[in-house]
Amino acid sequence: MTTILISIVAFGAIVAAMAVGVAFGGSPLKGSCGGKGGPDCVCDEYEQQKCRAREKMLANLAEKARARKMG
């Protein structure tokens, strides 16, 4: 039980130290593209293909769900 408590406290201390570093570091958090993220943040052609494939898949799923509701 002592080991678990020590582990939890150590993990909490690490998270707290990281939070202080972010708060006082002076630079904003950045996504993998270096910006704030979101739909305009696409790094390369591979990432763009992944986004298009995801959007197509979601559109297909939505269409199937509408078809099920209608009949």
Side-chain angles (χ1 to χ4, degrees):
M1 183 68 176
T2 304
T3 305
I4 293 172
L5 291 175
I6 291 172
S7 299
I8 291 171
V9 169
F11 184 74
I14 291 169
V15 170
M18 289 171 52
V20 168
V22 169
F24 294 111
S27 66
L29 295 176
K30 296 180 182 179
S32 61
C33 297
K36 293 181 180 179
D40 297 330
C41 180
V42 178
C43 299
D44 57 19
E45 182 62 31
Y46 176 71
E47 293 296 324
Q48 292 173 356
Q49 289 175 354
K50 283 178 24 181
C51 288
R52 285 192 295 267
R54 181 177 57 244
E55 289 168 0
K56 184 178 178 182
M57 178 193 65
L58 292 174
N60 287 340
L61 289 173
E63 183 63 34
K64 287 180 183 179
R66 279 192 298 269
R68 281 190 210 124
K69 283 184 180 180
M70 297 188 94

